[in-house]
Amino acid sequence: MKEITLLDHGIFEKPFMDSKATTRAVSKKEKIFGHLIGPLGLIFVVNTIAALVEKFFTQQVGAMYGTANLDMVRIMGGRYELVMTIAKILAVGMGLLNGWLIQHTKSRQGRMRPWYLIFGFVTIIIGCLIFLFAGENGLGEGYWYYFFFLLICYHTVGSTYFYLFRDTIVSLVTRSPSEKLTVKFMRQLCWTLISGIIIGMLVSMVVLPLWLEKDISGYPVLMLILSLAAIPLLLMEYYYTRERITEDIVQGSTLNNANNIPLRDQLRALMTNKYYVLLLIITTVAGIVDNFKGGNVQYFYIKFLLGGVDNWSMFTIYQVVTGIPLGIGAFIIYPLAKKYTIRNVSFVGYACLLIGSIVGWMFADNLPAALGAGFLRQMGMLPNAYVFATLTLYAFDSVEHKSGIRVEGLLGIAVIVAVQSAIYAPFAGGYESHILKLGFVDAEGIIPNEAVISYMAKAFYLFDIILGAAACMILPFVDIEKHLPNISAELTERRRQAALARGEEWIEPEELERRENEEAERRAEADRIHDLQERCLKKGLDFETENAKYLEKKATKEKRKAAKVHK
């Protein structure tokens, strides 16, 4: 049977598509441009749609049918639930397709990065289109075919690959546990702090209550702006990431014929690894919570239980008080994780989430208690926001150590993600569909009845109680971090033996990094001299004099740096 290979010819084989990350070690530019700033492009599109689409839907239902047609409102609640279930089921198939595409890809750019660029532009197009024709548009029932089609596109081609890449790319960037933790922290900093402030706080505090709540036509304007801004950021992320582990596999230093590993062997390697299975349970429970709660839960909780309907400053107060931990966490969680291990800080975090959610549910409409509970809950989610996902990356190292299979970019991961999507399907859109079935109409001046209010409080807290309890029971058994030094040393030794068996020279990773750094410094110095010579020629300056000034400044800086180290 002829082997199927994708992207081994064409534009991705051209030199101008090559990564700008050329060193074996992860450079500072790669961390900043590829993992901190660049990811914001698709995050702005995907996360903003996720945050607004359900609010837009309930608002659009109110705009098209008014407050009196409750029967139609209830019918739309059922339709939304059905469409979301279909979308999640189709996402299962899309997840399998993603895995198949990656496993059969042989490109000089890696397995994942080319498809990320392709799907990224598809996502941007969906972002431009999904909120068009907002309000009373004259399209009648035909509008819903348009909206639901794009909603399904968003949940399949528009976001499945985005999440797969987000969760996997770091483990393909480097083998170093410390570099993995740093790079993952940078990506989570981008995901949680930067996008959290811009989308989570700015949108919830200002854009939604002061603009979109009053003018539904603002939705497409906002998404068009964010989608266009995403294009240069997507290109930045593509060019400043590199799949070093995929390169190792292709060169044969870890595996031969990695693309042909039977699916059964891949799944056995994953599902027989204790650490991967335990972390999979936690992430699956978290996925169920996210799919059920959607983007409306907190907004409606503040609006109808904390007095936001009469005082819009409640949104600002709640977001500021509960958002403070996001900023604090950016500075404290990384050193805490390095000192006390990711597992331990995650356990404490989920315990705070559990306690805060119980207290919040007990006093759901009491503002001081809700603010205190919200602060504690957000403090508890700090490890999850910044460092928890690194444990899964370590689990992939454990899988390779025990089975010899590097699973990222293979079909097995996609199958498991597809199964997770199937599990999420019954919960997707559950919150919005239920409040619509209860007769709630999202329109100005409408106050929900007592049954809806009670449901809003329960939805806000109950699922987080389940997540916190599950994580606290499971995490004590996830002790992978104490085994990482031995795992890393043995994997490096296997690569050395494989290189020697092929008759190649083996260079220790530390020595290779030293050589690359020396070469980078040599090139930088040559570029500096060239630039200085041109500047001196243009301005009539003496090169030797100007160069001596630079070298003197450099020597002074190095002395100060050395003095600080000795202190």
Side-chain angles (χ1 to χ4, degrees):
M1 184 177 177
K2 184 179 179 181
E3 181 183 1
I4 299 174
T5 57
L6 304 172
L7 304 184
D8 54 338
H9 297 89
I11 189 172
F12 286 103
E13 295 303 293
K14 304 297 182 183
F16 69 85
M17 297 301 293
D18 288 349
S19 172
K20 303 297 183 184
T22 57
T23 58
R24 187 67 191 175
V26 181
S27 67
K28 184 180 291 185
K29 279 187 177 180
E30 184 179 351
K31 291 175 184 176
I32 294 174
F33 295 142
H35 300 287
L36 181 63
I37 299 176
L40 285 171
L42 287 190
I43 287 175
F44 283 159
V45 177
V46 174
N47 281 14
T48 303
I49 294 176
L52 295 180
V53 69
E54 288 155 347
K55 181 67 175 73
F56 172 81
F57 171 72
T58 56
Q59 208 169 327
Q60 181 71 1
V61 169
M64 289 186 66
Y65 302 114
T67 59
N69 194 351
L70 293 182
D71 289 338
M72 198 62 207
V73 170
R74 294 188 177 98
I75 289 172
M76 291 307 300
R79 287 182 183 175
Y80 187 78
E81 187 175 26
L82 175 62
V83 169
M84 286 300 298
T85 301
I86 292 172
K88 291 299 179 180
I89 292 173
L90 291 177
V92 172
M94 191 65 207
L96 295 175
L97 176 60
N98 290 337
W100 185 88
L101 292 174
I102 294 169
Q103 181 158 326
H104 290 85
T105 296
K106 288 187 177 180
S107 168
R108 63 190 281 172
Q109 312 306 338
R111 288 176 177 162
M112 300 197 74
R113 291 172 59 250
W115 292 110
Y116 185 69
L117 189 63
I118 293 169
F119 282 113
F121 279 107
V122 174
T123 302
I124 289 171
I125 292 171
I126 293 171
C128 292
L129 299 176
I130 192 166
F131 292 143
L132 292 182
F133 312 112
E136 296 183 50
N137 46 48
L139 298 177
E141 290 299 303
Y143 166 79
W144 294 115
Y145 290 100
Y146 171 86
F147 175 75
F148 286 144
F149 171 75
L150 286 172
L151 184 63
I152 290 173
C153 288
Y154 165 74
H155 283 288
T156 52
V157 295
S159 61
T160 56
Y161 197 89
F162 166 80
Y163 289 117
L164 178 63
F165 184 88
R166 181 201 68 175
D167 295 339
T168 307
I169 186 60
V170 174
S171 60
L172 294 176
V173 165
T174 177
R175 288 188 179 277
S176 167
S178 61
E179 284 189 333
K180 280 182 182 175
L181 179 58
T182 302
V183 173
K184 189 62 179 177
F185 176 75
M186 297 289 275
R187 292 191 78 91
Q188 292 301 109
L189 191 67
C190 168
W191 174 269
T192 303
L193 182 61
I194 301 176
S195 72
I197 290 174
I198 295 174
I199 299 174
M201 297 186 70
L202 185 60
V203 170
S204 298
M205 288 166 47
V206 180
V207 175
L208 190 53
L210 300 182
W211 179 24
L212 302 182
E213 178 80 17
K214 302 178 184 301
D215 180 14
I216 195 172
S217 64
Y219 283 91
V221 175
L222 175 64
M223 279 312 306
L224 185 61
I225 293 171
L226 293 176
S227 297
L228 293 177
I231 295 174
L233 292 171
L234 172 62
L235 292 171
M236 181 188 294
E237 182 180 10
Y238 170 80
Y239 278 111
Y240 282 95
T241 49
R242 178 182 172 189
E243 297 180 36
R244 294 172 180 81
I245 309 306
T246 304
E247 293 169 10
D248 288 346
I249 295 172
V250 171
Q251 293 168 1
S253 58
T254 304
L255 295 168
N256 290 316
N257 301 317
N259 288 42
N260 297 323
I261 297 172
L263 177 60
R264 178 182 58 191
D265 293 345
Q266 298 174 37
L267 293 175
R268 182 186 299 118
L270 287 163
M271 301 312 293
T272 57
N273 186 276
K274 178 183 77 171
Y275 302 120
Y276 181 77
V277 172
L278 292 175
L279 292 168
L280 183 66
I281 294 171
I282 296 176
T283 55
T284 301
V285 174
I288 290 172
V289 173
D290 289 340
N291 274 269
F292 178 82
K293 292 175 69 173
N296 270 340
V297 176
Q298 179 170 294
Y299 181 82
F300 283 145
Y301 175 74
I302 299 171
K303 183 175 181 179
F304 295 118
L305 279 93
L306 300 184
V309 68
D310 299 314
N311 183 3
W312 287 107
S313 65
M314 285 295 102
F315 290 93
T316 301
I317 294 171
Y318 191 88
Q319 290 286 352
V320 169
V321 171
T322 61
I324 289 173
L326 286 176
I328 297 174
F331 300 100
I332 67 170
I333 201 67
Y334 182 69
L336 286 175
K338 291 185 71 174
K339 183 175 182 179
Y340 297 107
T341 76
I342 298 172
R343 180 194 67 170
N344 289 342
V345 297
S346 296
F347 179 85
V348 173
Y350 280 115
C352 290
L353 173 68
L354 176 61
I355 296 169
S357 297
I358 293 173
V359 172
W361 196 11
M362 291 172 62
F363 307 98
D365 58 354
N366 182 290
L367 181 60
L371 291 175
F375 183 87
L376 185 60
R377 279 155 51 87
Q378 284 293 84
M379 285 293 291
M381 290 302 288
L382 286 178
N384 179 277
Y386 290 110
V387 296
F388 175 76
T390 309
L391 289 176
T392 300
L393 307 183
Y394 293 162
F396 287 149
D397 289 339
S398 176
V399 171
E400 182 185 8
H401 178 250
K402 292 184 177 180
S403 68
I405 300 174
R406 194 74 202 184
V407 293
E408 302 96 310
L410 298 181
L411 187 57
I413 290 290
V415 169
I416 291 174
V417 172
V419 172
Q420 284 182 306
S421 296
I423 294 172
Y424 301 154
F427 300 93
Y431 177 78
E432 284 71 26
S433 64
H434 195 74
I435 59 175
L436 289 175
K437 288 178 181 178
L438 289 173
F440 170 67
V441 180
D442 187 12
E444 281 198 88
I446 299 298
I447 303 298
N449 59 41
E450 198 61 37
V452 175
I453 293 288
S454 176
Y455 177 75
M456 287 177 173
K458 180 167 65 175
F460 191 59
Y461 289 113
L462 178 59
F463 277 74
D464 287 336
I465 292 174
I466 296 171
L467 173 60
C472 287
M473 288 188 289
I474 292 172
L475 278 173
F477 302 98
V478 185
D479 60 347
I480 186 173
E481 288 163 284
K482 72 179 183 182
H483 302 295
L484 274 180
N486 292 334
I487 290 173
S488 297
E490 188 165 333
L491 290 177
T492 300
E493 177 61 20
R494 290 180 192 176
R495 292 166 56 211
R496 188 182 76 84
Q497 294 292 344
L500 295 176
R502 294 192 303 272
E504 300 174 357
E505 178 190 9
W506 170 255
I507 304 174
E508 292 293 336
E510 294 80 5
E511 173 63 17
L512 183 61
E513 182 178 350
R514 186 190 66 78
R515 293 183 186 182
E516 288 180 340
N517 288 338
E518 286 183 352
E519 177 62 17
E521 289 176 3
R522 186 193 66 77
R523 290 180 180 177
E525 179 65 8
D527 291 340
R528 184 192 69 81
I529 290 174
H530 178 268
D531 293 341
L532 182 59
Q533 286 173 337
E534 285 193 343
R535 187 167 69 88
C536 290
L537 186 63
K538 288 179 180 179
K539 296 187 175 183
L541 301 173
D542 179 66
F543 171 77
E544 296 298 334
T545 302
E546 297 302 316
N547 193 44
K549 290 179 182 177
Y550 168 81
L551 294 176
E552 184 179 352
K553 287 181 181 179
K554 182 180 178 182
T556 302
K557 287 181 180 179
E558 289 177 350
K559 286 180 182 178
R560 290 175 181 171
K561 187 176 180 180
K564 288 182 180 179
V565 171
H566 289 307
K567 286 182 180 180

